[in-house]
Amino acid sequence: MTDLPLALVTGASRGIGAAVAHQLAPTHRLLLGGRDAEALSALAKELPGAKPWPVELTNPASLAEAVAGIESLDVLVHSAGVARIARIEDTTADVWRDNFEVNTLAVVELTRLLLPALRAARGHVVVINSGAGLNARPGWSPYAASKFAVRAFADALREEEKDIRVTSVYPGRTDTEMQQEIFKGEGRDYDTTHLLRADSVATAVVTAVSATPDAHQTDITLRPR
């Protein structure tokens, strides 16, 4: 087990992050990142070689402390995110800040802090973006803007760090607790008929991570059938 590559997955306590952790567990040691220490500990007990990694991603000091001791990192999956949506006329600055703090700035800072470890392993960064990171729709501007920004970050990182693979994954609407909240905010009953499964998104992540050394999957777009 100690010879397996090391992966850090944020947002691992639920949804896509948890699904990614489950699918990486057979081939990787895992650091399970998130805010809910109890949920992370419970998940770690299910997955051999997994350890909880509770941290507040929007606190740079906490991040710096949490990454201390990580000298080599093979895979970093950014799955933590928030989706606070509203029409521009109804959106306060706090809503914009919340989206950018978690969806963009936390990704940027955690990656920056872990660059030495990623370079040491010639590692792989996977950013779970969104269809909203490709197209901005009415009522979604603060969330979409944060996802457009993190797309630009991933593209720049790929160009700056030639020895690190960087993959952006753009899933359509996915059956998660976050999606339930979005449906509620839209005033709709929750219906999974036309939603992706979290496991389907996780499979795309694992496919990118397990690509042969000569291959670099830069962008993966998933849509429900």
Side-chain angles (χ1 to χ4, degrees), residues 12-216:
S13 62
R14 63 179 190 171
I16 292 172
V20 169
H22 274 282
Q23 291 200 28
L24 285 177
T27 54
H28 290 74
R29 292 173 293 131
L30 293 170
L31 294 175
L32 306 174
R35 292 173 175 169
D36 190 337
E38 184 176 342
L40 295 173
S41 294
L43 179 59
K45 291 177 182 178
E46 300 176 15
L47 305 175
K51 296 181 180 179
W53 196 75
V55 66
E56 174 49 65
L57 292 173
T58 61
N59 185 321
S62 296
L63 274 184
E65 182 179 354
V67 303
I70 302 177
E71 297 181 354
S72 181
L73 183 65
D74 298 275
V75 179
L76 172 59
V77 180
H78 293 287
S79 186
V82 297
R84 297 192 61 190
I85 60 176
R87 293 184 61 83
I88 293 172
E89 64 179 333
D90 301 319
T91 308
T92 65
D94 285 342
V95 171
W96 286 85
R97 288 191 188 97
D98 285 350
N99 281 286
F100 272 85
E101 284 284 351
V102 178
N103 299 338
T104 308
L105 296 178
V107 173
V108 172
E109 182 64 1
L110 180 56
T111 305
R112 184 186 71 82
L113 290 170
L114 286 171
L115 274 178
L118 288 162
R119 289 168 179 157
R122 295 175 63 89
H124 196 150
V125 177
V126 180
V127 179
I128 305 298
N129 200 297
S130 166
L134 297 172
N135 297 284
R137 299 189 301 151
W140 286 72
S141 58
Y143 177 71
S146 71
K147 290 298 189 177
F148 268 64
V150 82
R151 182 180 83 186
F153 165 74
D155 289 347
L157 178 67
R158 189 182 303 113
E159 294 302 313
E160 291 182 11
E161 300 288 337
K162 296 297 187 180
D163 289 335
I164 297 173
R165 292 193 289 190
V166 181
T167 302
S168 290
V169 181
Y170 302 93
R173 291 198 171 198
T174 306
D175 181 14
T176 61
E177 292 181 26
M178 178 188 290
Q179 197 62 231
Q180 293 175 23
E181 291 300 315
I182 291 173
F183 269 64
K184 183 178 178 180
E186 293 173 331
R188 296 198 291 153
D189 293 333
Y190 194 61
D191 181 6
T192 63
T193 304
H194 299 293
L195 299 181
L196 287 166
R197 294 182 296 109
D199 280 342
S200 299
V201 182
T203 297
V205 173
V206 173
T207 299
V209 169
S210 60
T212 54
D214 63 302
H216 188 167

